[in-house]
Amino acid sequence: MMDGALDEEVSLVGLTEDMGVNAVLFGFVGLYALTFPGRVRACYLVGSHATSEAVGESDLDLTLVFKDTFLPGEEARFERFRMAVGPLARYPLDLNAVEEARLVAEGEVNLKQNALLIAGEDVRDRVPLMPLEAWTRHCMHQPYRFIERARARAEDAPLRFPLEYPDARGELYGYDYREVMDAQGQLHRGFKELVTLACRMATAAVALDAGRHTFSKRDAIQAHREHVHDTWTPLYESIFASRQQWGYRVPDDAAARAKLREACARMLDAENAFLARYRDFLLAEVTRGRVEDRVLAARRLGDIAYPGEDVSRALQRLVEAPEPSEPVDLALREAARESLARLARHRGDRASSAA
């Protein structure tokens, strides 16, 4: 079936220890083979289900490796497929697609070191480990996504540094803003985003400070203690231990919730400490490396309103650089100009709010 023969029997190359998960995987393989006949080289299960560390509310993280490069319109079709398939599964699905050529050219970490081949041809022998510089860049950008989506704000408004709690009046300060779904499809108050953010920040610190790759949540927490061991190590360990005790559901027991609340109370300081380092990282990124990396850094500097003039001056230097001779140089200048304009539009927001 992987080669487009739709009448061929669907089979799984790899199995988990959970028969319910295997049933979902079997159905998923059949669906993507029908939707993308002959186009998927391999399907991998990554994350906690692949490493037998899943808890009751863990996602099924699946990556499809498309042969060679995407065909015209194929990425958009995969996005529609992803949106349609998710509600059909008994478990929350986190689906991703990647080009085979990109994996071979740029390398990977989790897929290469900590994945289970579900169907198709195993390509990991041809995929190098992602170079440390690229891995560090990837890791430094990841926590922002979780920090940003926890905080409601006006459309187009950047985050304000230093941060405030997602919900200062909430029992868990707003870190339980996203519910989790169990295998029966029931939603529960959850703190999965808190665990993921703590592990992402630990991963970034290990990459930046210790120059090491990490391959799972558990590996990131252990490596942080072994190779970084700073102020935030006990907090990250406490949050990860909460996952081991209660899964991703907020516990019913009052004493257990009080313990979780203590960790949530400290998380704001950890986020602000990370964002302070992230500012320095971004200011360096806009001056070095590939243009696409510099463009991302310039855009991200417009996503977070830092106090002082360092960010504005750095962006202004990009805008005022000699007239670009290449389209890629123009992209960097435009990204800097857009970030400056965004920050200027919202410069008075905090003062107005305080008034």
Side-chain angles (χ1 to χ4, degrees):
M1 190 157 188
M2 292 296 297
D3 291 325
L6 300 184
D7 56 347
E8 187 174 332
E9 183 179 356
V10 176
S11 62
L12 300 182
V13 175
L15 297 171
T16 74
E17 299 174 355
D18 188 319
M19 294 306 296
V21 169
N22 293 336
V24 172
L25 296 176
F26 181 84
F28 176 72
V29 170
L31 286 173
Y32 80 64
L34 286 167
T35 308
F36 304 102
R39 286 293 301 138
V40 176
R41 180 76 71 191
C43 174
Y44 291 97
L45 178 66
V46 297
S48 56
H49 279 285
T51 59
S52 300
E53 296 177 355
V55 296
E57 299 79 30
S58 292
D59 292 348
L60 284 176
D61 299 294
L62 291 158
T63 296
L64 296 184
V65 180
F66 278 72
K67 293 179 179 178
D68 304 319
T69 59
F70 291 123
L71 299 179
E74 204 161 46
E75 284 184 279
R77 194 148 55 95
F78 172 79
E79 181 60 22
R80 294 193 296 271
F81 170 79
R82 186 183 70 82
M83 297 296 292
V85 168
L88 299 177
R90 291 175 52 198
Y91 298 84
L93 297 182
D94 187 354
L95 307 180
N96 294 284
V98 65
E99 298 172 312
E100 179 182 12
R102 179 180 174 185
L103 284 180
V104 173
E106 299 182 6
E108 242 290 344
V109 176
N110 294 331
L111 185 145
K112 181 173 177 62
Q113 299 294 120
N114 229 5
L116 176 66
L117 177 68
I118 297 301
E121 174 190 345
D122 199 347
V123 300
R124 286 175 291 184
D125 285 347
R126 297 191 287 112
V127 176
L129 186 65
M130 184 180 291
L132 183 60
E133 180 181 354
W135 171 245
T136 300
R137 180 176 293 112
H138 169 80
C139 294
M140 286 298 293
H141 286 306
Q142 289 299 302
Y144 166 80
R145 297 190 301 117
F146 296 90
I147 293 171
E148 179 271 336
R149 69 190 186 195
R151 290 165 169 86
R153 57 197 185 282
E155 185 177 357
D156 186 54
L159 283 175
R160 292 282 172 179
F161 179 84
L163 299 171
E164 298 176 355
Y165 286 114
D167 180 3
R169 295 175 293 181
E171 181 186 21
L172 299 182
Y173 300 98
Y175 292 107
D176 55 342
Y177 68 94
R178 180 168 289 188
E179 293 179 311
V180 295
M181 185 174 71
D182 62 24
Q184 287 70 48
Q186 298 298 311
L187 293 175
H188 303 270
R189 187 180 170 203
F191 62 98
K192 181 180 179 183
E193 298 288 296
L194 174 73
V195 176
T196 304
L197 175 57
C199 292
R200 296 285 189 182
M201 292 196 298
T203 299
V206 171
L208 190 65
D209 296 333
R212 298 180 66 90
H213 299 82
T214 51
F215 309 108
S216 69
K217 289 182 175 72
R218 181 184 298 276
D219 188 31
I221 298 302
Q222 292 175 342
H224 196 275
R225 167 160 289 279
E226 182 177 351
H227 301 290
V228 180
H229 203 178
D230 62 9
T231 301
W232 309 114
T233 302
L235 174 63
Y236 298 156
E237 290 178 329
S238 173
I239 291 172
F240 186 74
S242 296
R243 172 194 186 272
Q244 303 305 101
Q245 287 182 276
W246 309 309
Y248 289 124
R249 295 190 203 179
V250 174
D252 294 327
D253 179 71
R257 286 203 313 277
K259 182 179 179 182
L260 183 58
R261 176 180 166 86
E262 291 177 6
C264 292
R266 290 200 63 208
M267 193 60 172
L268 180 63
D269 288 341
E271 290 178 287
N272 279 321
F274 171 79
L275 286 183
R277 298 196 72 187
Y278 193 40
R279 173 187 53 202
D280 296 339
F281 173 81
L282 293 173
L283 289 172
E285 278 284 283
V286 295
T287 67
R288 66 190 179 194
R290 303 181 306 174
V291 171
E292 52 263 46
D293 298 326
R294 298 175 67 191
V295 167
L296 174 57
R299 288 176 176 160
R300 193 54 52 80
L301 285 171
D303 291 332
I304 307 167
Y306 288 105
E309 300 300 323
D310 289 350
V311 169
S312 295
R313 282 197 290 262
L315 292 171
Q316 193 65 42
R317 282 195 294 270
L318 296 175
V319 171
E320 295 174 352
E323 190 65 26
S325 57
E326 300 290 339
V328 290
D329 297 327
L330 181 61
L332 179 58
R333 173 178 283 189
E334 286 303 308
R337 182 179 287 114
E338 289 170 6
S339 287
L340 276 172
R342 183 182 185 190
L343 294 173
R345 284 195 301 272
H346 297 280
R347 185 165 291 142
D349 288 359
R350 173 166 288 179
S352 299
S353 176

